[in-house]
Amino acid sequence: MEAPTVPEKKKTSLARAVFSGSLGNMLEWFDYGLYGYFATIISRDFFVSDDPIVGLLLSFLVFGTGFLVRPIGGILIGMYADKHGRIKALTLTILCMGVCTLCMGLLPTYSQVGIVAPILLTVLRLLQGLATGGEFGSSLTFIAEYGTPNNRAFLVSWQPFSVGCGLLLGSAAGLLVTTILPEAALYDWGWRVPFACGILIAVYGVHMRKNVPDSPEFLKMKEQEGGTDEPHAPVKDLFLRYKKPIVTVVGLLVGSSATYYLLITYMPTYISEFMDTSLSSAFVVNTSVIAIYLLLCPVMGMLIDRIGRRKCLIVGCLGFLLLSYPVFSVLVQQTNAAIMIALLGILIVFQTILAVAIAVVSAEVFPTKLRNSGVGFSYNLAAAIFGGLAPLAATALIAATGDQLSITYLILGAILITFLTSVFLLKGFYSKEG
């Protein structure tokens, strides 16, 4: 057999880099997805209340608490990655997430240890939030720095693809245990099994990342600095000189974060609790919707590379603004899983456009020397405020109004901010797109 040519070697190295950079996101969203999917069970095990909606609200409050520390993780681990390398940061974050996910499956319940149970649950969510904050920015930066302006959106699309893989694994695991286990076993111990299995992804991820070189852009930057760890203050530089990129990325992510968590993580709870449908049917719908998202990610990446970032963002926003209310108006009247999948699939098309376009824009508006810090902070700030708290806000709004369609008010308000950011603030970064 002939030795591989140089282009083949580069292609193999690139694929391995993208895969290893994406693994942590898969683990991150495997766990986050599981928490959202099993929120009803978790609320009964860790929070005591006569009203199940109150227990569910408390469960989602803890879910959102983990997001509040993500910007801190994005800054701290981002600084570390900007100074010492993306790979070192990625190895640290995936190991921490793996241990936290395993511990989620081992936690005692309220009936066993009392108030200690929700405290331990909250501590784990906080620790995982810190690790996740560092993981997301580091992996996005790492993958983007392997690309060029002509293929970067396609490469970056594999990051949201990996997020979808984690959610799909979580949804499939939820579907599996809810289908094969009797309800008593599911509530007693069955929901814990998928969490405990998360450590396997972490171990494999650490192994993969040990054998991948750092991104070309980072290595080039270090070479230009003479290979020294020259002291610099990425956080200070970030907030003094790059306020507009921060505001732009956060503005773009308001709509994308809210719709992502509502359409994917929250849907099993929404369908089972507010549409009088079984939890197993809700998992069938959710798993199918995530599969659609996965198929669309690389396609949208290629489309965005060809058409342009800003144009695609505007199209994605308009799709949500025009179709969200009509889609949910029909959805809440359905009991047929196939029809629900088709309806949510319409919105997932626009969600995928936003997810991929915003990911690549986030990497391109910051310079290499503080890209990890900038992406990590901006992304996680938006996720903390508008993503992690979206399920809590949706549950509270529906409970207060008694209107299942009130979820669309959150979607429309958040997307409007992303639309205005795309039209006005982003124009300065992509003026050639018109």
mmCIF file of all heavy atoms in Angstrom, residues 266-292:
data_model
loop_
_atom_site.group_PDB
_atom_site.id
_atom_site.type_symbol
_atom_site.label_atom_id
_atom_site.label_comp_id
_atom_site.label_asym_id
_atom_site.label_seq_id
_atom_site.Cartn_x
_atom_site.Cartn_y
_atom_site.Cartn_z
ATOM 1 N N TYR A 266 -36.441 21.511 26.490
ATOM 2 C CA TYR A 266 -37.684 21.678 27.237
ATOM 3 C C TYR A 266 -38.864 20.893 26.657
ATOM 4 O O TYR A 266 -39.856 20.657 27.350
ATOM 5 C CB TYR A 266 -38.022 23.171 27.282
ATOM 6 C CG TYR A 266 -39.219 23.525 28.127
ATOM 7 C CD1 TYR A 266 -39.220 23.278 29.498
ATOM 8 C CD2 TYR A 266 -40.345 24.133 27.565
ATOM 9 C CE1 TYR A 266 -40.314 23.614 30.287
ATOM 10 C CE2 TYR A 266 -41.434 24.482 28.340
ATOM 11 C CZ TYR A 266 -41.409 24.220 29.705
ATOM 12 O OH TYR A 266 -42.486 24.563 30.481
ATOM 13 N N MET A 267 -38.780 20.491 25.391
ATOM 14 C CA MET A 267 -39.935 19.909 24.721
ATOM 15 C C MET A 267 -40.509 18.653 25.387
ATOM 16 O O MET A 267 -41.733 18.494 25.455
ATOM 17 C CB MET A 267 -39.610 19.621 23.253
ATOM 18 C CG MET A 267 -39.894 20.770 22.320
ATOM 19 S SD MET A 267 -41.620 21.368 22.336
ATOM 20 C CE MET A 267 -41.451 22.904 23.241
ATOM 21 N N PRO A 268 -39.692 17.708 25.879
ATOM 22 C CA PRO A 268 -40.302 16.549 26.548
ATOM 23 C C PRO A 268 -41.183 16.949 27.735
ATOM 24 O O PRO A 268 -42.256 16.384 27.950
ATOM 25 C CB PRO A 268 -39.091 15.731 27.007
ATOM 26 C CG PRO A 268 -38.030 16.073 26.045
ATOM 27 C CD PRO A 268 -38.238 17.539 25.760
ATOM 28 N N THR A 269 -40.709 17.936 28.512
ATOM 29 C CA THR A 269 -41.502 18.420 29.643
ATOM 30 C C THR A 269 -42.758 19.135 29.153
ATOM 31 O O THR A 269 -43.866 18.915 29.661
ATOM 32 C CB THR A 269 -40.669 19.369 30.520
ATOM 33 O OG1 THR A 269 -39.530 18.663 31.012
ATOM 34 C CG2 THR A 269 -41.478 19.901 31.689
ATOM 35 N N TYR A 270 -42.622 19.983 28.162
ATOM 36 C CA TYR A 270 -43.753 20.750 27.624
ATOM 37 C C TYR A 270 -44.830 19.818 27.072
ATOM 38 O O TYR A 270 -46.019 19.965 27.368
ATOM 39 C CB TYR A 270 -43.247 21.675 26.514
ATOM 40 C CG TYR A 270 -44.320 22.546 25.880
ATOM 41 C CD1 TYR A 270 -44.760 23.709 26.512
ATOM 42 C CD2 TYR A 270 -44.875 22.207 24.644
ATOM 43 C CE1 TYR A 270 -45.726 24.516 25.929
ATOM 44 C CE2 TYR A 270 -45.843 23.003 24.060
ATOM 45 C CZ TYR A 270 -46.270 24.154 24.704
ATOM 46 O OH TYR A 270 -47.229 24.946 24.117
ATOM 47 N N ILE A 271 -44.416 18.840 26.288
ATOM 48 C CA ILE A 271 -45.372 17.926 25.656
ATOM 49 C C ILE A 271 -46.054 17.032 26.687
ATOM 50 O O ILE A 271 -47.266 16.808 26.624
ATOM 51 C CB ILE A 271 -44.666 17.074 24.575
ATOM 52 C CG1 ILE A 271 -44.226 17.970 23.407
ATOM 53 C CG2 ILE A 271 -45.574 15.961 24.070
ATOM 54 C CD1 ILE A 271 -43.339 17.270 22.397
ATOM 55 N N SER A 272 -45.272 16.523 27.649
ATOM 56 C CA SER A 272 -45.854 15.586 28.626
ATOM 57 C C SER A 272 -46.667 16.280 29.706
ATOM 58 O O SER A 272 -47.691 15.759 30.155
ATOM 59 C CB SER A 272 -44.741 14.741 29.264
ATOM 60 O OG SER A 272 -43.830 15.550 29.975
ATOM 61 N N GLU A 273 -46.233 17.478 30.127
ATOM 62 C CA GLU A 273 -46.902 18.158 31.228
ATOM 63 C C GLU A 273 -48.073 19.036 30.777
ATOM 64 O O GLU A 273 -49.077 19.139 31.469
ATOM 65 C CB GLU A 273 -45.901 19.027 32.002
ATOM 66 C CG GLU A 273 -44.891 18.236 32.803
ATOM 67 C CD GLU A 273 -45.517 17.525 33.993
ATOM 68 O OE1 GLU A 273 -46.398 18.111 34.649
ATOM 69 O OE2 GLU A 273 -45.129 16.370 34.247
ATOM 70 N N PHE A 274 -47.939 19.688 29.634
ATOM 71 C CA PHE A 274 -48.932 20.682 29.234
ATOM 72 C C PHE A 274 -49.762 20.286 28.011
ATOM 73 O O PHE A 274 -50.673 21.005 27.622
ATOM 74 C CB PHE A 274 -48.247 22.031 28.971
ATOM 75 C CG PHE A 274 -47.486 22.554 30.153
ATOM 76 C CD1 PHE A 274 -46.104 22.658 30.115
ATOM 77 C CD2 PHE A 274 -48.142 22.920 31.312
ATOM 78 C CE1 PHE A 274 -45.395 23.133 31.209
ATOM 79 C CE2 PHE A 274 -47.448 23.399 32.411
ATOM 80 C CZ PHE A 274 -46.070 23.505 32.364
ATOM 81 N N MET A 275 -49.430 19.146 27.381
ATOM 82 C CA MET A 275 -50.198 18.698 26.221
ATOM 83 C C MET A 275 -50.841 17.335 26.469
ATOM 84 O O MET A 275 -51.354 16.709 25.547
ATOM 85 C CB MET A 275 -49.295 18.646 24.984
ATOM 86 C CG MET A 275 -48.850 20.014 24.494
ATOM 87 S SD MET A 275 -47.718 19.932 23.081
ATOM 88 C CE MET A 275 -48.688 19.015 21.894
ATOM 89 N N ASP A 276 -50.780 16.865 27.720
ATOM 90 C CA ASP A 276 -51.434 15.620 28.109
ATOM 91 C C ASP A 276 -51.013 14.448 27.214
ATOM 92 O O ASP A 276 -51.833 13.668 26.734
ATOM 93 C CB ASP A 276 -52.953 15.788 28.066
ATOM 94 C CG ASP A 276 -53.668 14.694 28.840
ATOM 95 O OD1 ASP A 276 -53.040 14.115 29.760
ATOM 96 O OD2 ASP A 276 -54.829 14.400 28.519
ATOM 97 N N THR A 277 -49.694 14.332 27.002
ATOM 98 C CA THR A 277 -49.122 13.244 26.202
ATOM 99 C C THR A 277 -48.139 12.481 27.075
ATOM 100 O O THR A 277 -47.509 13.054 27.964
ATOM 101 C CB THR A 277 -48.394 13.813 24.965
ATOM 102 O OG1 THR A 277 -49.317 14.610 24.218
ATOM 103 C CG2 THR A 277 -47.853 12.712 24.078
ATOM 104 N N SER A 278 -47.992 11.178 26.837
ATOM 105 C CA SER A 278 -47.102 10.360 27.664
ATOM 106 C C SER A 278 -45.653 10.798 27.510
ATOM 107 O O SER A 278 -45.256 11.333 26.472
ATOM 108 C CB SER A 278 -47.230 8.883 27.285
ATOM 109 O OG SER A 278 -46.700 8.653 26.001
ATOM 110 N N LEU A 279 -44.858 10.542 28.556
ATOM 111 C CA LEU A 279 -43.448 10.913 28.524
ATOM 112 C C LEU A 279 -42.709 10.147 27.438
ATOM 113 O O LEU A 279 -41.829 10.701 26.769
ATOM 114 C CB LEU A 279 -42.806 10.634 29.897
ATOM 115 C CG LEU A 279 -41.364 11.106 30.088
ATOM 116 C CD1 LEU A 279 -41.240 12.603 29.859
ATOM 117 C CD2 LEU A 279 -40.846 10.733 31.477
ATOM 118 N N SER A 280 -43.040 8.879 27.231
ATOM 119 C CA SER A 280 -42.364 8.091 26.192
ATOM 120 C C SER A 280 -42.660 8.657 24.800
ATOM 121 O O SER A 280 -41.768 8.723 23.948
ATOM 122 C CB SER A 280 -42.794 6.621 26.268
ATOM 123 O OG SER A 280 -44.193 6.496 26.099
ATOM 124 N N SER A 281 -43.899 9.099 24.552
ATOM 125 C CA SER A 281 -44.240 9.725 23.266
ATOM 126 C C SER A 281 -43.488 11.044 23.092
ATOM 127 O O SER A 281 -43.039 11.378 21.989
ATOM 128 C CB SER A 281 -45.747 9.979 23.176
ATOM 129 O OG SER A 281 -46.471 8.771 23.167
ATOM 130 N N ALA A 282 -43.345 11.788 24.200
ATOM 131 C CA ALA A 282 -42.602 13.048 24.153
ATOM 132 C C ALA A 282 -41.144 12.798 23.774
ATOM 133 O O ALA A 282 -40.541 13.569 23.015
ATOM 134 C CB ALA A 282 -42.672 13.751 25.505
ATOM 135 N N PHE A 283 -40.571 11.702 24.266
ATOM 136 C CA PHE A 283 -39.190 11.353 23.918
ATOM 137 C C PHE A 283 -39.071 10.946 22.452
ATOM 138 O O PHE A 283 -38.056 11.224 21.804
ATOM 139 C CB PHE A 283 -38.678 10.230 24.816
ATOM 140 C CG PHE A 283 -38.130 10.712 26.128
ATOM 141 C CD1 PHE A 283 -38.635 10.239 27.326
ATOM 142 C CD2 PHE A 283 -37.102 11.634 26.168
ATOM 143 C CE1 PHE A 283 -38.128 10.682 28.539
ATOM 144 C CE2 PHE A 283 -36.586 12.088 27.370
ATOM 145 C CZ PHE A 283 -37.102 11.616 28.562
ATOM 146 N N VAL A 284 -40.074 10.281 21.916
ATOM 147 C CA VAL A 284 -40.068 9.918 20.496
ATOM 148 C C VAL A 284 -40.024 11.181 19.644
ATOM 149 O O VAL A 284 -39.231 11.294 18.695
ATOM 150 C CB VAL A 284 -41.306 9.070 20.134
ATOM 151 C CG1 VAL A 284 -41.425 8.921 18.618
ATOM 152 C CG2 VAL A 284 -41.228 7.697 20.787
ATOM 153 N N VAL A 285 -40.868 12.150 19.990
ATOM 154 C CA VAL A 285 -40.899 13.417 19.265
ATOM 155 C C VAL A 285 -39.566 14.139 19.380
ATOM 156 O O VAL A 285 -38.977 14.587 18.385
ATOM 157 C CB VAL A 285 -42.043 14.319 19.793
ATOM 158 C CG1 VAL A 285 -41.966 15.709 19.157
ATOM 159 C CG2 VAL A 285 -43.389 13.688 19.515
ATOM 160 N N ASN A 286 -39.055 14.229 20.600
ATOM 161 C CA ASN A 286 -37.822 14.977 20.835
ATOM 162 C C ASN A 286 -36.621 14.339 20.146
ATOM 163 O O ASN A 286 -35.786 15.022 19.542
ATOM 164 C CB ASN A 286 -37.559 15.074 22.338
ATOM 165 C CG ASN A 286 -36.656 16.222 22.692
ATOM 166 O OD1 ASN A 286 -37.025 17.377 22.527
ATOM 167 N ND2 ASN A 286 -35.460 15.923 23.172
ATOM 168 N N THR A 287 -36.528 13.022 20.215
ATOM 169 C CA THR A 287 -35.413 12.315 19.573
ATOM 170 C C THR A 287 -35.445 12.534 18.067
ATOM 171 O O THR A 287 -34.404 12.748 17.433
ATOM 172 C CB THR A 287 -35.477 10.807 19.895
ATOM 173 O OG1 THR A 287 -35.452 10.624 21.305
ATOM 174 C CG2 THR A 287 -34.298 10.073 19.268
ATOM 175 N N SER A 288 -36.632 12.509 17.483
ATOM 176 C CA SER A 288 -36.766 12.708 16.036
ATOM 177 C C SER A 288 -36.388 14.135 15.632
ATOM 178 O O SER A 288 -35.725 14.347 14.607
ATOM 179 C CB SER A 288 -38.207 12.415 15.605
ATOM 180 O OG SER A 288 -38.581 11.102 15.939
ATOM 181 N N VAL A 289 -36.798 15.106 16.438
ATOM 182 C CA VAL A 289 -36.486 16.507 16.149
ATOM 183 C C VAL A 289 -34.976 16.741 16.213
ATOM 184 O O VAL A 289 -34.402 17.448 15.364
ATOM 185 C CB VAL A 289 -37.227 17.436 17.128
ATOM 186 C CG1 VAL A 289 -36.693 18.861 17.042
ATOM 187 C CG2 VAL A 289 -38.721 17.418 16.833
ATOM 188 N N ILE A 290 -34.314 16.147 17.196
ATOM 189 C CA ILE A 290 -32.862 16.290 17.309
ATOM 190 C C ILE A 290 -32.168 15.642 16.111
ATOM 191 O O ILE A 290 -31.161 16.157 15.600
ATOM 192 C CB ILE A 290 -32.361 15.670 18.622
ATOM 193 C CG1 ILE A 290 -32.914 16.442 19.823
ATOM 194 C CG2 ILE A 290 -30.825 15.693 18.684
ATOM 195 C CD1 ILE A 290 -32.659 15.779 21.148
ATOM 196 N N ALA A 291 -32.689 14.508 15.643
ATOM 197 C CA ALA A 291 -32.112 13.842 14.473
ATOM 198 C C ALA A 291 -32.184 14.753 13.247
ATOM 199 O O ALA A 291 -31.240 14.815 12.441
ATOM 200 C CB ALA A 291 -32.841 12.521 14.208
ATOM 201 N N ILE A 292 -33.284 15.469 13.098
ATOM 202 C CA ILE A 292 -33.417 16.439 11.995
ATOM 203 C C ILE A 292 -32.354 17.524 12.134
ATOM 204 O O ILE A 292 -31.697 17.915 11.158
ATOM 205 C CB ILE A 292 -34.828 17.063 11.994
ATOM 206 C CG1 ILE A 292 -35.884 15.994 11.701
ATOM 207 C CG2 ILE A 292 -34.917 18.196 10.970
ATOM 208 C CD1 ILE A 292 -37.320 16.476 11.894
#
